[in-house]
Amino acid sequence: MSANPNGTAPASAPLLQVEAISCRFGGLLALDRVSLELAEGEIFGLIGPNGAGKTTLFNVISGLTRPSGGRCLWRGRPTTGLGACGINRLGIARTFQNLRLFESLSVRENVLVGLHHAARAPMVGALVGSGPFRGHQGRLEAQALELLALLELDALAQQRAGDLPYGDRRRLEIARALATAPRLLLLDEPAAGMNPAEKDDLRRLIGRIRDHFALTVLIIEHHVPLMMRLCQRLAVLNFGERIALGSPAEVRRDPRVIEAYLGGQT
Amino acid sequence: MDAALLEQMLLGALLALSVYLPLRCGQLSLATPGFYAVGGYVAALLSTGVPAFAGTGATSPLPALLVEMALGGSLAGLIALAIGRPVLRLRGIYLAIATIALVEILRVLNLNLPFTGGAMGIFGIPQPFAHPEGYVLFTLVLLAVACWLCQRLEVLRLGRAMLAIRDDELAAASVGIDTPRTKLIAFVASAVLAGVTGALAAHFLNAWNARVGSFDASITTLAFVVFGGSRFWLGPVLGGLALTALPELLRPVGDLRLILFGGVILLGPLFFPQGLVTAERLRWLGALLGRGRGRRKPLAP
Ligand SMILES: Nc1ncnc2c1ncn2[C@@H]1O[C@H](COP(=O)(O)OP(=O)(O)OP(=O)(O)O)[C@@H](O)[C@H]1O
Ligand SMILES: [Mg+2]
């Protein structure tokens, strides 16, 4: 391990640093020099009105969109140019706001796809199905069932993912992301379309998952009361700009936040 | 049934599997006939030009055939490896068009290279088997091996990664699947299988020329998979067998053959959107067999 270019020891660096990320689509500046830092173990919330650039920021962090400016650092090292696969392998997994499951595969297989790529099978024997390989397969199957049980999807393991109702799909997205053994989990509106009781269940579930896997969580959600209870810190985006950052109590009092959320109505 | 027709059907099934492999990860490649032609030329050139491959007896030596198949498959695979990365960046219909162009380039090369015999091609290719039955037996073994490898894809991580890419390439990348690499593996495997099949077919047909790797052949082999289904290996195999037999049985239709395949490609998806063999029908078949003979492993998950 060599020291990184900034000369800071990786151990003391935050888990993820977003440094002045800008993202331009034609004439639209979807992100305008957005910066934030995630510390290991926290649940960090990202809120803001529709079209504020929240999903775009997720796309940049997870390597799906190349930013027009700025960079991200993972434990102090730039992630520039790694691509979605490379960034997942660093330990960043995400869910999609507009649900992108492998719909023709079963619930169990959706999770197995994630698991496969976290744990390489012994190459020798994989082709012929030798004893060690079958043992490896058995462990993956067990892990998949465990994850599905955690997300209360175990009863649906054999169903086609495309046939699931909406709420189950959202939880399967989380299960599939967790299967890749991430250190940082990005959740894009995991409670969208859920009723208040389901939202409450989901909030507890996210807390449980964080404790169980000792994860760091970055979550986008429109339901502000839920975010106030769930997150240790919040950032607020508005028209691509980060207008506030701090504890839920600080953010709630911030005049720019009040303006952004209520501005149109006064 | 006539052994020569049976052999053609088995070769059709092998080519169908070659089209199936890229399609399993959602890549519509029509390059199979190009690689098939390359494999055949390797076998034709070696067995007509190199005495050791031609042999001295009534039949050419079987080990020579195996070496030709290995070399034909390797050359096809190397070409696929060389062009795969850039070509597989194209999606959907653009990939299809690029692979048709590849087939055309190979065809024109085969027509004009100084050693491929021009439009006449290469003929008098020696026979490793005295009777068609020998070819049938040999090809059956090859097809069984190819099917068994495809069946392994159902449990291997590579096989699942392919299906994940087919469903959603972007989501596949974000769960850590190296999507360009997976697509390249499928493309190269497809080329190797087509090359191996070509080497065998050159002997069986006795003559080899540039017409074997034409646009017509691209459409024909695609029809095998559209008809049979592209989710599970059994589909292309059945499609290859059936659609090779059909026009031979309807020999009087002559050139109408192409219209027939065009019809299959047009109408097949209307009536069987997923082809003959689908996941549901396999489950149903598995349940039926399971009831008869007690518990057994399902064919497809
Ligand atoms: N690929 C793209 N090409 C062009 N414009 C885009 C693209 N992706 C996002 N945008 C635009 O960027 C802006 C920010 O979009 P984004 O999806 O990040 O918002 P969001 O904060 O997630 O909103 P929501 O709460 O509705 O999900 C929007 O105006 C959107 O139309
Ligand atoms: Mg969004």
Side-chain angles (χ1 to χ4, degrees), chain A residues 64 84-85 88-89 96 100 102-105 109 112-113 116-117 120 126-127 129 133 137 180, chain B residues 148-149 152 155-157 160-161 163-164 167-168 170-178 181 301:
Chain A
L64 295 177
C85 168
N88 176 265
R89 290 181 181 184
F96 293 91
R100 305 190 69 142
F102 305 126
E103 297 207 343
S104 77
L105 300 187
E109 287 174 309
L112 278 174
V113 167
H116 269 308
H117 292 270
R120 277 190 161 269
L127 215 53
F133 175 72
Q137 293 283 92
T180 66
Chain B
W148 176 74
L149 287 174
R152 290 301 296 163
V155 292
L156 289 182
R157 109 194 177 123
R160 285 212 183 97
L163 292 178
D167 273 4
D168 191 329
L170 216 140
S174 57
V175 295
I177 295 173
D178 188 339
R181 183 165 169 271

mmCIF file of all heavy atoms in Angstrom, chain A residues 64 84-85 88-89 96 100 102-105 109 112-113 116-117 120 126-127 129 133 137 180, chain B residues 148-149 152 155-157 160-161 163-164 167-168 170-178 181 301:
data_model
loop_
_atom_site.group_PDB
_atom_site.id
_atom_site.type_symbol
_atom_site.label_atom_id
_atom_site.label_comp_id
_atom_site.label_asym_id
_atom_site.label_seq_id
_atom_site.Cartn_x
_atom_site.Cartn_y
_atom_site.Cartn_z
ATOM 1 N N LEU A 64 -22.349 5.218 -12.980
ATOM 2 C CA LEU A 64 -23.195 5.093 -14.169
ATOM 3 C C LEU A 64 -23.152 6.357 -15.016
ATOM 4 O O LEU A 64 -23.379 6.315 -16.213
ATOM 5 C CB LEU A 64 -24.645 4.813 -13.757
ATOM 6 C CG LEU A 64 -24.872 3.475 -13.064
ATOM 7 C CD1 LEU A 64 -26.325 3.338 -12.648
ATOM 8 C CD2 LEU A 64 -24.490 2.329 -13.984
ATOM 9 N N ALA A 84 -19.285 1.226 -13.385
ATOM 10 C CA ALA A 84 -20.241 0.709 -12.397
ATOM 11 C C ALA A 84 -19.752 -0.586 -11.753
ATOM 12 O O ALA A 84 -19.873 -0.778 -10.544
ATOM 13 C CB ALA A 84 -21.591 0.484 -13.070
ATOM 14 N N CYS A 85 -19.189 -1.474 -12.571
ATOM 15 C CA CYS A 85 -18.730 -2.763 -12.049
ATOM 16 C C CYS A 85 -17.568 -2.569 -11.071
ATOM 17 O O CYS A 85 -17.571 -3.112 -9.965
ATOM 18 C CB CYS A 85 -18.325 -3.656 -13.216
ATOM 19 S SG CYS A 85 -17.438 -5.120 -12.733
ATOM 20 N N ASN A 88 -18.770 -1.060 -7.799
ATOM 21 C CA ASN A 88 -19.439 -2.053 -6.946
ATOM 22 C C ASN A 88 -18.421 -2.939 -6.247
ATOM 23 O O ASN A 88 -18.559 -3.274 -5.075
ATOM 24 C CB ASN A 88 -20.408 -2.905 -7.765
ATOM 25 C CG ASN A 88 -21.036 -3.996 -6.924
ATOM 26 O OD1 ASN A 88 -20.566 -5.122 -6.892
ATOM 27 N ND2 ASN A 88 -22.078 -3.642 -6.198
ATOM 28 N N ARG A 89 -17.374 -3.304 -6.972
ATOM 29 C CA ARG A 89 -16.374 -4.195 -6.381
ATOM 30 C C ARG A 89 -15.551 -3.503 -5.295
ATOM 31 O O ARG A 89 -14.961 -4.181 -4.456
ATOM 32 C CB ARG A 89 -15.481 -4.783 -7.473
ATOM 33 C CG ARG A 89 -16.260 -5.787 -8.323
ATOM 34 C CD ARG A 89 -15.435 -6.432 -9.398
ATOM 35 N NE ARG A 89 -16.264 -7.362 -10.171
ATOM 36 C CZ ARG A 89 -15.797 -8.133 -11.136
ATOM 37 N NH1 ARG A 89 -14.519 -8.096 -11.439
ATOM 38 N NH2 ARG A 89 -16.599 -8.948 -11.786
ATOM 39 N N PHE A 96 -32.285 1.142 -7.263
ATOM 40 C CA PHE A 96 -32.729 2.080 -8.292
ATOM 41 C C PHE A 96 -34.120 2.613 -7.977
ATOM 42 O O PHE A 96 -35.015 1.850 -7.621
ATOM 43 C CB PHE A 96 -32.728 1.396 -9.659
ATOM 44 C CG PHE A 96 -31.348 1.040 -10.150
ATOM 45 C CD1 PHE A 96 -30.796 -0.195 -9.868
ATOM 46 C CD2 PHE A 96 -30.607 1.959 -10.866
ATOM 47 C CE1 PHE A 96 -29.515 -0.519 -10.309
ATOM 48 C CE2 PHE A 96 -29.334 1.640 -11.311
ATOM 49 C CZ PHE A 96 -28.789 0.403 -11.032
ATOM 50 N N ARG A 100 -34.810 -1.755 -11.104
ATOM 51 C CA ARG A 100 -34.161 -2.440 -12.225
ATOM 52 C C ARG A 100 -33.760 -3.828 -11.793
ATOM 53 O O ARG A 100 -32.585 -4.167 -11.719
ATOM 54 C CB ARG A 100 -32.941 -1.643 -12.681
ATOM 55 C CG ARG A 100 -33.257 -0.203 -13.024
ATOM 56 C CD ARG A 100 -32.112 0.466 -13.676
ATOM 57 N NE ARG A 100 -31.888 -0.067 -15.003
ATOM 58 C CZ ARG A 100 -31.516 0.673 -16.036
ATOM 59 N NH1 ARG A 100 -31.340 1.966 -15.892
ATOM 60 N NH2 ARG A 100 -31.304 0.129 -17.203
ATOM 61 N N PHE A 102 -33.637 -8.073 -12.236
ATOM 62 C CA PHE A 102 -33.534 -9.022 -13.346
ATOM 63 C C PHE A 102 -34.871 -9.747 -13.392
ATOM 64 O O PHE A 102 -35.089 -10.743 -12.704
ATOM 65 C CB PHE A 102 -32.366 -9.971 -13.130
ATOM 66 C CG PHE A 102 -31.065 -9.248 -12.900
ATOM 67 C CD1 PHE A 102 -30.286 -9.508 -11.793
ATOM 68 C CD2 PHE A 102 -30.629 -8.288 -13.799
ATOM 69 C CE1 PHE A 102 -29.100 -8.834 -11.574
ATOM 70 C CE2 PHE A 102 -29.438 -7.602 -13.589
ATOM 71 C CZ PHE A 102 -28.681 -7.879 -12.479
ATOM 72 N N GLU A 103 -35.777 -9.223 -14.199
ATOM 73 C CA GLU A 103 -37.178 -9.605 -14.060
ATOM 74 C C GLU A 103 -37.469 -11.036 -14.474
ATOM 75 O O GLU A 103 -38.401 -11.647 -13.964
ATOM 76 C CB GLU A 103 -38.052 -8.639 -14.860
ATOM 77 C CG GLU A 103 -37.940 -7.225 -14.321
ATOM 78 C CD GLU A 103 -39.168 -6.390 -14.579
ATOM 79 O OE1 GLU A 103 -39.976 -6.785 -15.440
ATOM 80 O OE2 GLU A 103 -39.305 -5.361 -13.913
ATOM 81 N N SER A 104 -36.692 -11.580 -15.399
ATOM 82 C CA SER A 104 -37.001 -12.946 -15.840
ATOM 83 C C SER A 104 -36.386 -13.981 -14.892
ATOM 84 O O SER A 104 -36.677 -15.160 -14.991
ATOM 85 C CB SER A 104 -36.505 -13.176 -17.270
ATOM 86 O OG SER A 104 -35.102 -13.362 -17.264
ATOM 87 N N LEU A 105 -35.534 -13.534 -13.974
ATOM 88 C CA LEU A 105 -34.938 -14.474 -13.012
ATOM 89 C C LEU A 105 -35.810 -14.545 -11.761
ATOM 90 O O LEU A 105 -36.594 -13.648 -11.481
ATOM 91 C CB LEU A 105 -33.526 -14.016 -12.624
ATOM 92 C CG LEU A 105 -32.510 -13.892 -13.753
ATOM 93 C CD1 LEU A 105 -31.126 -13.603 -13.185
ATOM 94 C CD2 LEU A 105 -32.465 -15.156 -14.591
ATOM 95 N N GLU A 109 -32.548 -16.120 -7.574
ATOM 96 C CA GLU A 109 -31.466 -15.913 -8.551
ATOM 97 C C GLU A 109 -31.008 -14.465 -8.599
ATOM 98 O O GLU A 109 -29.824 -14.190 -8.813
ATOM 99 C CB GLU A 109 -31.921 -16.351 -9.942
ATOM 100 C CG GLU A 109 -32.008 -17.846 -10.097
ATOM 101 C CD GLU A 109 -32.604 -18.240 -11.431
ATOM 102 O OE1 GLU A 109 -33.679 -17.718 -11.781
ATOM 103 O OE2 GLU A 109 -31.997 -19.053 -12.126
ATOM 104 N N LEU A 112 -28.602 -14.366 -5.944
ATOM 105 C CA LEU A 112 -27.422 -15.176 -6.276
ATOM 106 C C LEU A 112 -26.493 -14.453 -7.240
ATOM 107 O O LEU A 112 -25.267 -14.553 -7.124
ATOM 108 C CB LEU A 112 -27.851 -16.511 -6.877
ATOM 109 C CG LEU A 112 -28.242 -17.600 -5.876
ATOM 110 C CD1 LEU A 112 -28.791 -18.812 -6.614
ATOM 111 C CD2 LEU A 112 -27.075 -17.991 -4.994
ATOM 112 N N VAL A 113 -27.063 -13.721 -8.207
ATOM 113 C CA VAL A 113 -26.229 -12.973 -9.149
ATOM 114 C C VAL A 113 -25.322 -12.018 -8.380
ATOM 115 O O VAL A 113 -24.126 -11.919 -8.657
ATOM 116 C CB VAL A 113 -27.096 -12.199 -10.166
ATOM 117 C CG1 VAL A 113 -26.259 -11.188 -10.920
ATOM 118 C CG2 VAL A 113 -27.745 -13.161 -11.144
ATOM 119 N N HIS A 116 -22.636 -14.176 -6.347
ATOM 120 C CA HIS A 116 -21.624 -14.784 -7.210
ATOM 121 C C HIS A 116 -20.414 -13.886 -7.351
ATOM 122 O O HIS A 116 -19.292 -14.328 -7.391
ATOM 123 C CB HIS A 116 -22.186 -14.956 -8.616
ATOM 124 C CG HIS A 116 -22.832 -16.273 -8.820
ATOM 125 N ND1 HIS A 116 -22.196 -17.438 -8.530
ATOM 126 C CD2 HIS A 116 -24.050 -16.617 -9.282
ATOM 127 C CE1 HIS A 116 -23.009 -18.441 -8.824
ATOM 128 N NE2 HIS A 116 -24.142 -17.971 -9.276
ATOM 129 N N HIS A 117 -20.708 -12.596 -7.483
ATOM 130 C CA HIS A 117 -19.620 -11.714 -7.855
ATOM 131 C C HIS A 117 -18.893 -11.170 -6.649
ATOM 132 O O HIS A 117 -17.878 -10.534 -6.776
ATOM 133 C CB HIS A 117 -20.156 -10.635 -8.797
ATOM 134 C CG HIS A 117 -20.544 -11.287 -10.082
ATOM 135 N ND1 HIS A 117 -19.670 -11.421 -11.114
ATOM 136 C CD2 HIS A 117 -21.658 -11.952 -10.432
ATOM 137 C CE1 HIS A 117 -20.251 -12.124 -12.070
ATOM 138 N NE2 HIS A 117 -21.457 -12.452 -11.685
ATOM 139 N N ARG A 120 -15.789 -15.577 -5.426
ATOM 140 C CA ARG A 120 -15.430 -16.368 -6.603
ATOM 141 C C ARG A 120 -15.490 -17.856 -6.288
ATOM 142 O O ARG A 120 -15.028 -18.293 -5.235
ATOM 143 C CB ARG A 120 -14.013 -16.012 -7.067
ATOM 144 C CG ARG A 120 -13.995 -14.778 -7.927
ATOM 145 C CD ARG A 120 -12.639 -14.602 -8.573
ATOM 146 N NE ARG A 120 -12.753 -13.707 -9.712
ATOM 147 C CZ ARG A 120 -12.999 -14.104 -10.939
ATOM 148 N NH1 ARG A 120 -13.139 -15.386 -11.198
ATOM 149 N NH2 ARG A 120 -13.092 -13.238 -11.904
ATOM 150 N N ALA A 126 -15.688 -26.197 -11.147
ATOM 151 C CA ALA A 126 -16.941 -25.490 -11.422
ATOM 152 C C ALA A 126 -17.637 -26.097 -12.632
ATOM 153 O O ALA A 126 -18.846 -26.265 -12.652
ATOM 154 C CB ALA A 126 -16.675 -24.006 -11.658
ATOM 155 N N LEU A 127 -16.845 -26.466 -13.633
ATOM 156 C CA LEU A 127 -17.415 -26.962 -14.875
ATOM 157 C C LEU A 127 -18.067 -28.326 -14.694
ATOM 158 O O LEU A 127 -19.151 -28.594 -15.188
ATOM 159 C CB LEU A 127 -16.302 -27.044 -15.932
ATOM 160 C CG LEU A 127 -16.728 -26.715 -17.349
ATOM 161 C CD1 LEU A 127 -17.421 -25.360 -17.405
ATOM 162 C CD2 LEU A 127 -15.522 -26.726 -18.253
ATOM 163 N N GLY A 129 -18.813 -29.706 -11.712
ATOM 164 C CA GLY A 129 -19.636 -29.819 -10.522
ATOM 165 C C GLY A 129 -19.017 -30.732 -9.485
ATOM 166 O O GLY A 129 -19.673 -31.617 -8.946
ATOM 167 N N PHE A 133 -16.896 -27.564 -5.402
ATOM 168 C CA PHE A 133 -17.738 -26.582 -6.077
ATOM 169 C C PHE A 133 -19.170 -26.645 -5.555
ATOM 170 O O PHE A 133 -19.795 -25.633 -5.291
ATOM 171 C CB PHE A 133 -17.722 -26.810 -7.591
ATOM 172 C CG PHE A 133 -18.672 -25.905 -8.322
ATOM 173 C CD1 PHE A 133 -18.401 -24.551 -8.447
ATOM 174 C CD2 PHE A 133 -19.850 -26.394 -8.856
ATOM 175 C CE1 PHE A 133 -19.273 -23.707 -9.104
ATOM 176 C CE2 PHE A 133 -20.738 -25.546 -9.512
ATOM 177 C CZ PHE A 133 -20.444 -24.209 -9.640
ATOM 178 N N GLN A 137 -21.424 -23.797 -3.876
ATOM 179 C CA GLN A 137 -22.773 -23.464 -4.325
ATOM 180 C C GLN A 137 -23.754 -23.508 -3.155
ATOM 181 O O GLN A 137 -24.608 -22.652 -3.015
ATOM 182 C CB GLN A 137 -23.254 -24.461 -5.391
ATOM 183 C CG GLN A 137 -22.517 -24.392 -6.687
ATOM 184 C CD GLN A 137 -22.948 -23.209 -7.535
ATOM 185 O OE1 GLN A 137 -22.348 -22.144 -7.433
ATOM 186 N NE2 GLN A 137 -23.954 -23.369 -8.347
ATOM 187 N N THR A 180 -23.924 -8.155 -2.722
ATOM 188 C CA THR A 180 -22.586 -7.872 -3.244
ATOM 189 C C THR A 180 -21.622 -7.475 -2.122
ATOM 190 O O THR A 180 -20.514 -7.017 -2.393
ATOM 191 C CB THR A 180 -22.625 -6.746 -4.303
ATOM 192 O OG1 THR A 180 -23.013 -5.529 -3.665
ATOM 193 C CG2 THR A 180 -23.604 -7.067 -5.412
ATOM 194 N N TRP B 148 -24.282 -30.334 -22.894
ATOM 195 C CA TRP B 148 -23.920 -30.493 -21.482
ATOM 196 C C TRP B 148 -23.248 -29.213 -20.955
ATOM 197 O O TRP B 148 -23.560 -28.745 -19.865
ATOM 198 C CB TRP B 148 -22.983 -31.700 -21.330
ATOM 199 C CG TRP B 148 -22.486 -31.873 -19.935
ATOM 200 C CD1 TRP B 148 -23.197 -32.346 -18.861
ATOM 201 C CD2 TRP B 148 -21.186 -31.556 -19.449
ATOM 202 N NE1 TRP B 148 -22.407 -32.338 -17.749
ATOM 203 C CE2 TRP B 148 -21.173 -31.858 -18.071
ATOM 204 C CE3 TRP B 148 -20.029 -31.049 -20.040
ATOM 205 C CZ2 TRP B 148 -20.045 -31.666 -17.288
ATOM 206 C CZ3 TRP B 148 -18.905 -30.857 -19.254
ATOM 207 C CH2 TRP B 148 -18.917 -31.166 -17.891
ATOM 208 N N LEU B 149 -22.366 -28.625 -21.771
ATOM 209 C CA LEU B 149 -21.729 -27.368 -21.353
ATOM 210 C C LEU B 149 -22.777 -26.261 -21.175
ATOM 211 O O LEU B 149 -22.723 -25.485 -20.224
ATOM 212 C CB LEU B 149 -20.676 -26.934 -22.378
ATOM 213 C CG LEU B 149 -19.385 -27.766 -22.378
ATOM 214 C CD1 LEU B 149 -18.480 -27.352 -23.528
ATOM 215 C CD2 LEU B 149 -18.652 -27.597 -21.041
ATOM 216 N N ARG B 152 -24.578 -26.673 -17.983
ATOM 217 C CA ARG B 152 -23.793 -26.204 -16.835
ATOM 218 C C ARG B 152 -23.976 -24.702 -16.610
ATOM 219 O O ARG B 152 -23.870 -24.221 -15.491
ATOM 220 C CB ARG B 152 -22.295 -26.504 -17.026
ATOM 221 C CG ARG B 152 -21.918 -27.959 -16.956
ATOM 222 C CD ARG B 152 -22.287 -28.588 -15.649
ATOM 223 N NE ARG B 152 -21.564 -28.021 -14.507
ATOM 224 C CZ ARG B 152 -21.949 -28.185 -13.239
ATOM 225 N NH1 ARG B 152 -23.035 -28.875 -12.954
ATOM 226 N NH2 ARG B 152 -21.251 -27.650 -12.265
ATOM 227 N N VAL B 155 -26.158 -23.330 -13.733
ATOM 228 C CA VAL B 155 -25.731 -23.190 -12.337
ATOM 229 C C VAL B 155 -24.448 -22.379 -12.184
ATOM 230 O O VAL B 155 -24.124 -21.941 -11.086
ATOM 231 C CB VAL B 155 -25.530 -24.564 -11.642
ATOM 232 C CG1 VAL B 155 -26.859 -25.255 -11.467
ATOM 233 C CG2 VAL B 155 -24.561 -25.435 -12.398
ATOM 234 N N LEU B 156 -23.721 -22.167 -13.285
ATOM 235 C CA LEU B 156 -22.462 -21.428 -13.159
ATOM 236 C C LEU B 156 -22.728 -19.937 -13.080
ATOM 237 O O LEU B 156 -23.686 -19.428 -13.641
ATOM 238 C CB LEU B 156 -21.560 -21.707 -14.365
ATOM 239 C CG LEU B 156 -20.952 -23.102 -14.425
ATOM 240 C CD1 LEU B 156 -20.039 -23.218 -15.633
ATOM 241 C CD2 LEU B 156 -20.188 -23.393 -13.151
ATOM 242 N N ARG B 157 -21.807 -19.239 -12.402
ATOM 243 C CA ARG B 157 -21.977 -17.800 -12.255
ATOM 244 C C ARG B 157 -21.938 -17.117 -13.615
ATOM 245 O O ARG B 157 -22.666 -16.158 -13.856
ATOM 246 C CB ARG B 157 -20.913 -17.291 -11.280
ATOM 247 C CG ARG B 157 -19.812 -16.489 -11.822
ATOM 248 C CD ARG B 157 -18.684 -16.353 -10.825
ATOM 249 N NE ARG B 157 -17.626 -15.614 -11.443
ATOM 250 C CZ ARG B 157 -17.120 -14.473 -10.946
ATOM 251 N NH1 ARG B 157 -17.545 -14.014 -9.815
ATOM 252 N NH2 ARG B 157 -16.182 -13.834 -11.579
ATOM 253 N N ARG B 160 -25.434 -17.292 -15.148
ATOM 254 C CA ARG B 160 -26.405 -16.383 -14.526
ATOM 255 C C ARG B 160 -26.078 -14.940 -14.890
ATOM 256 O O ARG B 160 -26.973 -14.130 -15.115
ATOM 257 C CB ARG B 160 -26.395 -16.536 -13.004
ATOM 258 C CG ARG B 160 -27.071 -17.782 -12.557
ATOM 259 C CD ARG B 160 -27.746 -17.612 -11.207
ATOM 260 N NE ARG B 160 -28.313 -18.878 -10.813
ATOM 261 C CZ ARG B 160 -27.708 -19.733 -10.007
ATOM 262 N NH1 ARG B 160 -26.547 -19.429 -9.476
ATOM 263 N NH2 ARG B 160 -28.266 -20.883 -9.718
ATOM 264 N N ALA B 161 -24.760 -14.630 -14.955
ATOM 265 C CA ALA B 161 -24.366 -13.269 -15.326
ATOM 266 C C ALA B 161 -24.890 -12.952 -16.726
ATOM 267 O O ALA B 161 -25.348 -11.841 -17.002
ATOM 268 C CB ALA B 161 -22.847 -13.121 -15.269
ATOM 269 N N LEU B 163 -27.601 -14.119 -18.201
ATOM 270 C CA LEU B 163 -29.038 -13.825 -18.141
ATOM 271 C C LEU B 163 -29.296 -12.459 -17.516
ATOM 272 O O LEU B 163 -30.205 -11.738 -17.928
ATOM 273 C CB LEU B 163 -29.767 -14.900 -17.327
ATOM 274 C CG LEU B 163 -29.827 -16.290 -17.965
ATOM 275 C CD1 LEU B 163 -30.537 -17.249 -17.038
ATOM 276 C CD2 LEU B 163 -30.553 -16.226 -19.304
ATOM 277 N N ALA B 164 -28.484 -12.109 -16.512
ATOM 278 C CA ALA B 164 -28.663 -10.807 -15.853
ATOM 279 C C ALA B 164 -28.417 -9.684 -16.858
ATOM 280 O O ALA B 164 -29.170 -8.715 -16.920
ATOM 281 C CB ALA B 164 -27.722 -10.687 -14.659
ATOM 282 N N ASP B 167 -31.337 -9.264 -19.102
ATOM 283 C CA ASP B 167 -32.476 -8.566 -18.491
ATOM 284 C C ASP B 167 -32.200 -7.083 -18.325
ATOM 285 O O ASP B 167 -33.082 -6.259 -18.573
ATOM 286 C CB ASP B 167 -32.786 -9.168 -17.118
ATOM 287 C CG ASP B 167 -33.734 -10.347 -17.212
ATOM 288 O OD1 ASP B 167 -34.082 -10.722 -18.348
ATOM 289 O OD2 ASP B 167 -34.114 -10.897 -16.169
ATOM 290 N N ASP B 168 -31.015 -6.714 -17.863
ATOM 291 C CA ASP B 168 -30.717 -5.308 -17.590
ATOM 292 C C ASP B 168 -29.203 -5.132 -17.462
ATOM 293 O O ASP B 168 -28.627 -5.383 -16.405
ATOM 294 C CB ASP B 168 -31.420 -4.863 -16.309
ATOM 295 C CG ASP B 168 -31.371 -3.353 -16.125
ATOM 296 O OD1 ASP B 168 -30.388 -2.723 -16.565
ATOM 297 O OD2 ASP B 168 -32.308 -2.806 -15.541
ATOM 298 N N LEU B 170 -27.283 -2.525 -17.373
ATOM 299 C CA LEU B 170 -26.817 -1.511 -16.439
ATOM 300 C C LEU B 170 -26.892 -2.006 -14.990
ATOM 301 O O LEU B 170 -25.954 -1.834 -14.209
ATOM 302 C CB LEU B 170 -27.745 -0.312 -16.629
ATOM 303 C CG LEU B 170 -27.156 1.038 -16.502
ATOM 304 C CD1 LEU B 170 -27.753 1.938 -17.553
ATOM 305 C CD2 LEU B 170 -27.516 1.518 -15.126
ATOM 306 N N ALA B 171 -27.998 -2.646 -14.660
ATOM 307 C CA ALA B 171 -28.141 -3.189 -13.307
ATOM 308 C C ALA B 171 -27.111 -4.297 -13.088
ATOM 309 O O ALA B 171 -26.552 -4.432 -11.998
ATOM 310 C CB ALA B 171 -29.556 -3.727 -13.093
ATOM 311 N N ALA B 172 -26.834 -5.067 -14.134
ATOM 312 C CA ALA B 172 -25.847 -6.143 -14.017
ATOM 313 C C ALA B 172 -24.481 -5.561 -13.665
ATOM 314 O O ALA B 172 -23.788 -6.052 -12.775
ATOM 315 C CB ALA B 172 -25.770 -6.941 -15.321
ATOM 316 N N ALA B 173 -24.105 -4.478 -14.356
ATOM 317 C CA ALA B 173 -22.813 -3.850 -14.058
ATOM 318 C C ALA B 173 -22.783 -3.362 -12.618
ATOM 319 O O ALA B 173 -21.772 -3.480 -11.930
ATOM 320 C CB ALA B 173 -22.556 -2.696 -15.020
ATOM 321 N N SER B 174 -23.920 -2.851 -12.126
ATOM 322 C CA SER B 174 -23.874 -2.281 -10.785
ATOM 323 C C SER B 174 -24.005 -3.327 -9.685
ATOM 324 O O SER B 174 -23.970 -2.972 -8.510
ATOM 325 C CB SER B 174 -24.884 -1.141 -10.629
ATOM 326 O OG SER B 174 -26.160 -1.601 -10.914
ATOM 327 N N VAL B 175 -24.164 -4.620 -10.022
ATOM 328 C CA VAL B 175 -23.963 -5.648 -8.993
ATOM 329 C C VAL B 175 -22.612 -6.349 -9.201
ATOM 330 O O VAL B 175 -22.395 -7.463 -8.730
ATOM 331 C CB VAL B 175 -25.091 -6.696 -8.900
ATOM 332 C CG1 VAL B 175 -26.380 -6.047 -8.453
ATOM 333 C CG2 VAL B 175 -25.284 -7.440 -10.204
ATOM 334 N N GLY B 176 -21.714 -5.708 -9.927
ATOM 335 C CA GLY B 176 -20.347 -6.195 -10.001
ATOM 336 C C GLY B 176 -20.061 -7.166 -11.132
ATOM 337 O O GLY B 176 -19.023 -7.819 -11.142
ATOM 338 N N ILE B 177 -20.959 -7.265 -12.102
ATOM 339 C CA ILE B 177 -20.690 -8.129 -13.249
ATOM 340 C C ILE B 177 -19.864 -7.349 -14.265
ATOM 341 O O ILE B 177 -20.231 -6.230 -14.629
ATOM 342 C CB ILE B 177 -21.997 -8.623 -13.894
ATOM 343 C CG1 ILE B 177 -22.753 -9.521 -12.915
ATOM 344 C CG2 ILE B 177 -21.718 -9.363 -15.198
ATOM 345 C CD1 ILE B 177 -24.120 -9.926 -13.402
ATOM 346 N N ASP B 178 -18.757 -7.919 -14.699
ATOM 347 C CA ASP B 178 -17.935 -7.298 -15.737
ATOM 348 C C ASP B 178 -18.651 -7.554 -17.064
ATOM 349 O O ASP B 178 -18.420 -8.567 -17.726
ATOM 350 C CB ASP B 178 -16.536 -7.927 -15.713
ATOM 351 C CG ASP B 178 -15.573 -7.189 -16.634
ATOM 352 O OD1 ASP B 178 -16.051 -6.490 -17.551
ATOM 353 O OD2 ASP B 178 -14.357 -7.332 -16.439
ATOM 354 N N ARG B 181 -16.668 -8.156 -20.447
ATOM 355 C CA ARG B 181 -15.953 -9.429 -20.436
ATOM 356 C C ARG B 181 -16.925 -10.601 -20.627
ATOM 357 O O ARG B 181 -16.662 -11.515 -21.415
ATOM 358 C CB ARG B 181 -15.214 -9.572 -19.102
ATOM 359 C CG ARG B 181 -14.376 -10.814 -19.005
ATOM 360 C CD ARG B 181 -13.384 -10.722 -17.838
ATOM 361 N NE ARG B 181 -12.772 -12.009 -17.608
ATOM 362 C CZ ARG B 181 -13.278 -12.928 -16.810
ATOM 363 N NH1 ARG B 181 -14.407 -12.696 -16.154
ATOM 364 N NH2 ARG B 181 -12.674 -14.088 -16.660
ATOM 365 N N PRO B 301 -34.020 -23.810 -13.608
ATOM 366 C CA PRO B 301 -34.536 -23.281 -12.344
ATOM 367 C C PRO B 301 -35.796 -22.442 -12.569
ATOM 368 O O PRO B 301 -36.025 -21.976 -13.660
ATOM 369 C CB PRO B 301 -33.397 -22.410 -11.830
ATOM 370 C CG PRO B 301 -32.556 -22.122 -13.006
ATOM 371 C CD PRO B 301 -32.788 -23.188 -14.025
#
